[in-house]
Amino acid sequence: NFPPRIMSVEQLAFSSLTSEVSDVPLEATGKVPLWISGIFVRNGPALFEFGNEEFNHWFDGQAMLHSYHFNEGAIKYTNKFLNTSNLRAHQKEGRIAVAEFGTCPKQGIWGRLMRLAKVDPYENTNVNIARIGGRHLAITENESAIEFCPRTLKTLSSARFDASIMGQISAAHPVETAAGDTVHVSLRLGPSSAYLLTRVP
């Protein structure tokens, strides 16, 4: 049991953040070195329910970007939801409307059969961010990616990696080489499954 107002780690992890802010000054403990300058961006799940329905898995939470802008010892914070087809569908229906990583919409037998015939575009890229081919992308463990502006966190466009060089499952943690190339690994499933290594200049 936890004392009142104190959440467990699980409760805290599944707590929704619904508000968005821009360039809010943050107080720092100690002194931020003046040589630290730039924008630090993180990505993760932030919204875990629609209407009276809740997601089953942490990766189902809707993607939100967070940025920390360091400039001359000051820090400003901005956060914004990625404007994805998943988020728009849930908001339009006021419930869980499309399948996520670990949660499917509540549907009857007919709805389940229809879902087998229709593949919804999965854009809830809430796992990581990477700079690939000069573009800042929010990515997850499939071929989808969402391009965003690192300064404003505005969603720019939906992107998909070329199916000829990507599998259905990918590592959401590409590696940047000393030369500035991005190396990515994915898994192509089929009669002859294979690991695919891709390098993007």
Side-chain angles (χ1 to χ4, degrees):
N1 294 330
F2 288 84
R5 300 182 183 178
I6 297 181
M7 295 182 177
S8 67
V9 173
E10 182 179 1
Q11 288 172 323
L12 186 60
F14 279 87
S15 295
S16 289
L17 175 59
T18 59
S19 60
E20 298 177 327
V21 298
S22 180
D23 287 332
V24 174
L26 299 181
E27 291 187 13
T29 300
K31 187 176 181 180
V32 179
L34 296 178
W35 56 264
I36 297 181
S37 179
I39 301 175
F40 178 67
V41 181
R42 303 307 297 156
N43 182 16
L47 184 57
F48 294 94
E49 64 277 320
F50 287 91
N52 296 321
E53 299 179 358
E54 298 180 352
F55 292 123
N56 298 323
H57 196 283
W58 195 61
F59 283 175
D60 298 337
Q62 299 303 287
M64 176 180 277
L65 298 173
H66 308 261
S67 74
Y68 302 84
H69 186 193
F70 293 82
N71 183 42
E72 297 182 348
I75 312 171
K76 291 183 178 180
Y77 170 76
T78 297
N79 69 315
K80 189 179 289 294
F81 280 105
L82 279 177
N83 183 16
T84 66
S85 60
N86 291 55
L87 179 62
R88 293 192 298 271
H90 299 315
Q91 290 175 330
K92 180 179 178 181
E93 297 285 337
R95 63 180 181 87
I96 297 174
V98 295
E100 294 288 351
F101 179 86
T103 307
C104 289
K106 293 180 180 179
Q107 299 172 319
I109 294 177
W110 178 248
R112 294 175 186 175
L113 291 174
M114 290 294 291
R115 194 168 72 240
L116 291 175
K118 177 185 176 184
V119 179
D120 293 318
Y122 186 86
E123 292 188 349
N124 188 23
T125 52
N126 62 4
V127 176
N128 197 11
I129 60 168
R131 186 172 57 187
I132 301 177
R135 303 168 70 183
H136 293 86
L137 303 174
I139 57 179
T140 185
E141 292 160 338
N142 65 11
E143 70 276 14
S144 297
I146 300 292
E147 185 177 7
F148 66 93
C149 170
R151 180 63 187 89
T152 64
L153 303 186
K154 179 182 178 180
T155 301
L156 299 179
S157 64
S158 176
R160 297 184 81 83
F161 294 104
D162 190 329
S164 66
I165 60 172
M166 283 288 292
Q168 299 95 328
I169 301 174
S170 68
H173 305 277
V175 176
E176 187 170 312
T177 68
D181 298 342
T182 300
V183 179
H184 194 270
V185 62
S186 63
L187 174 61
R188 177 180 292 162
L189 302 173
S192 180
S193 298
Y195 286 105
L196 304 176
L197 284 174
T198 306
R199 184 177 67 182
V200 181

